[in-house]
Amino acid sequence: MAVRTFNGKQPSIGNQVYIDPTAVVIGDVTLGDDVSIWPTCVVRGDVEAISIGAGSNVQDGSVLHVSHAGDYSPTGHQLSIGLGVTIGHRAVVHGCSIGNYCLLGIGAIVMDGAVLEDYVMLGAGALVPPGKRLESGYLYVGAPAKPVRALNDSEKSFLEYSYQHYIRLKNQYLSSQT
């Protein structure tokens, strides 16, 4: 079963959402309209909330999770993902805040308390350490992630193209299921 209740909390799923049958969405999770969750993804809102904004896509094998409130994290860490975000294959996104129209490259890792402002491109395999803030309009690469340069207009446009492409693709998947 791809969508599961945990501790009495049922995921809230917007309109025209695609969740692959091999993915799992658990607990206190809110998926906006036109979100797509691709094969073998885990979106686990068991100890804190996860929200994924309209039009965002979470690609194959990605893991989205949160941190509980406790001795080492008094408030815990929710996960907030903005509008039109592309999360590349096999990314790990944990208890952080991702702004609108960001792209997280294949295998990227974003840790607790990190903040990606709007229009950030995070390179494949990059690591964003706990609590780090990535400024809007830049390409970041490496472990730890460091700014390489400002995004040009074509790259900013690509960030929007990417999420729109995934909306079209998930619509094809949804129409093939009927």
Side-chain angles (χ1 to χ4, degrees), residues 15-33:
N15 296 314
Q16 293 295 109
V17 168
Y18 173 72
I19 301 171
D20 187 86
T22 65
V24 63
V25 177
I26 302 170
D28 193 359
V29 175
T30 301
L31 304 179
D33 296 344

Side-chain angles (χ1 to χ4, degrees), residues 119-121 137-139 149-156 159:
Y119 289 96
V120 166
M121 188 178 287
Y138 285 88
L139 167 65
R149 60 177 168 74
L151 297 175
N152 61 42
D153 290 340
S154 176
E155 290 164 328
K156 288 179 184 174
L159 295 175

Side-chain angles (χ1 to χ4, degrees), residues 95-134:
C96 58
S97 177
I98 309 296
N100 301 320
Y101 313 112
C102 292
L103 184 144
L104 281 61
I106 294 169
I109 300 172
V110 185
M111 300 299 295
D112 289 356
V115 175
L116 277 64
E117 295 179 356
D118 297 346
Y119 289 96
V120 166
M121 188 178 287
L122 183 62
L127 169 65
V128 181
K132 178 139 177 127
R133 176 177 286 274
L134 304 188

Side-chain angles (χ1 to χ4, degrees), residues 70-85:
D71 293 344
Y72 298 98
S73 178
T75 61
H77 291 281
Q78 296 184 356
L79 174 56
S80 173
I81 296 170
L83 305 172
V85 172

Side-chain angles (χ1 to χ4, degrees), residues 1-5 21 23-25:
M1 197 154 98
V3 177
R4 299 183 197 165
T5 298
V24 63
V25 177

Side-chain angles (χ1 to χ4, degrees), residues 23-26 37-38 40-44 58 61-65:
V24 63
V25 177
I26 302 170
I37 309 293
W38 295 93
T40 71
C41 288
V42 176
V43 181
R44 185 160 54 100
V58 182
S62 292
V63 175
L64 280 60
H65 194 230

